[in-house]
Amino acid sequence: FEGESGRPVERRLTMKQYFPQELDALLAYNGFAIEAKSGQYGGQPFHSESNQQIVIARLAGRPLDAEAK
């Protein structure tokens, strides 16, 4: 990243990788329903060789476009 000065800024980012079934189960256990899953930010289909899991989820029992309260 570049800061306001234009100089590079380093940030520590902690990430965890999840197996697809593990992520699906975690979301369901915590009350979410998966609306869509893709394998890239461009929307390519998710498959066994995908390096990324991009998930669109909603609270189960609630429409995706419902206003947050």
Side-chain angles (χ1 to χ4, degrees):
F1 297 107
E2 291 185 0
E4 290 181 21
S5 66
R7 293 183 177 168
V9 175
E10 288 188 27
R11 301 272 189 223
R12 178 170 280 228
L13 178 62
T14 303
M15 296 178 68
K16 179 169 177 15
Q17 293 183 320
Y18 292 95
F19 287 103
Q21 300 86 344
E22 183 182 16
L23 182 58
D24 294 354
L26 280 168
L27 288 166
Y29 179 80
N30 286 285
F32 288 89
I34 296 173
E35 292 287 318
K37 183 187 276 192
S38 60
Q40 295 284 329
Y41 283 104
Q44 293 84 348
F46 179 79
H47 54 79
S48 62
E49 300 297 318
S50 295
N51 291 322
Q52 299 174 329
Q53 296 182 72
I54 311 302
V55 176
I56 298 174
R58 62 172 170 74
L59 286 174
R62 185 174 180 163
L64 185 60
D65 61 352
E67 289 186 46
K69 295 188 180 200

